[in-house]
Amino acid sequence: QTGIHSLRPIDCPGTSPGGCVLAFLIVFGALFGLVFGSFATVLAARVPWGESIGGRSRCRSCAAQIAAYDNIPVLSWILLRGRCRHCGATIGIRYPLTELTAGALGAYVAIQPWPLLVVIAWMCFVPVAVSLAVIDLESKRLPNPLTLGYLPIALVLLAADASLNEIGRAHV
């Protein structure tokens, strides 16, 4: 085994061998995905309109700044019942769905038997891929700042995949 999966398994009572490591990887990957899934919602909401991705989030209806405690992925949307704390405007379901999708993909990537650098590259690519999917579903276009900006990451992933497949064939 290579990369993150070369960690020594830790046995937990009531789990299979290495169960704690697997559980940790799933939870870590999901949390990482949720947090960066929140960033993916920012990309999907701002980039198609040419808006800056910097700065604090604001309500699209009343322009009130969203407090940090109201910006916790998925949980805040549930607690606020999908509404702005200030004006009561509806916050679309796409926000928590985007975050959940990124969380699920983060958990999936975290448990793959890839070298650590490949896992990191995929973790960086997941929020962009999710935001591109959301933008494409909503506007039927893919903005150049995202597609061209993340082209180098995609090329690194392709090169790593080709390299790993070549190494795998050499050991067969």
Side-chain angles (χ1 to χ4, degrees), residues 5-56:
H5 293 280
S6 64
L7 297 173
R8 194 172 62 96
I10 301 169
D11 294 331
C12 296
T15 67
S16 61
C20 282
V21 171
L22 181 62
F24 170 79
L25 291 174
I26 291 170
V27 170
F28 174 79
L31 289 174
F32 187 91
L34 284 169
V35 169
F36 285 93
S38 184
F39 179 66
T41 66
V42 170
L43 292 175
R46 296 182 188 181
V47 170
W49 306 109
E51 297 175 19
S52 167
I53 60 170
R56 299 287 305 270

Side-chain angles (χ1 to χ4, degrees), residues 48-129:
W49 306 109
E51 297 175 19
S52 167
I53 60 170
R56 299 287 305 270
S57 296
R58 296 186 174 278
C59 172
R60 291 247 178 226
S61 295
C62 69
Q65 190 172 11
I66 298 174
Y69 53 81
D70 284 339
N71 219 2
I72 301 167
V74 182
L75 182 62
S76 292
W77 189 87
I78 291 169
L79 293 175
L80 292 170
R81 297 186 179 117
R83 300 200 170 276
C84 171
R85 178 181 299 277
H86 302 282
C87 71
T90 301
I91 299 169
I93 187 78
R94 83 166 170 111
Y95 292 93
L97 289 180
T98 301
E99 294 164 350
L100 286 170
T101 300
L105 289 171
Y108 174 78
V109 168
I111 62 170
Q112 297 309 304
W114 301 329
L116 183 58
L117 287 177
V118 175
V119 170
I120 291 169
W122 272 107
M123 286 294 201
C124 293
F125 189 67
V126 162
V128 176

Side-chain angles (χ1 to χ4, degrees), residues 43-44 47-48 53 128 131-132 135 142-151:
L43 292 175
V47 170
I53 60 170
V128 176
S131 63
L132 284 170
I135 292 168
L142 297 174
N144 285 340
L146 286 180
T147 54
L148 297 177
Y150 278 88
L151 184 60

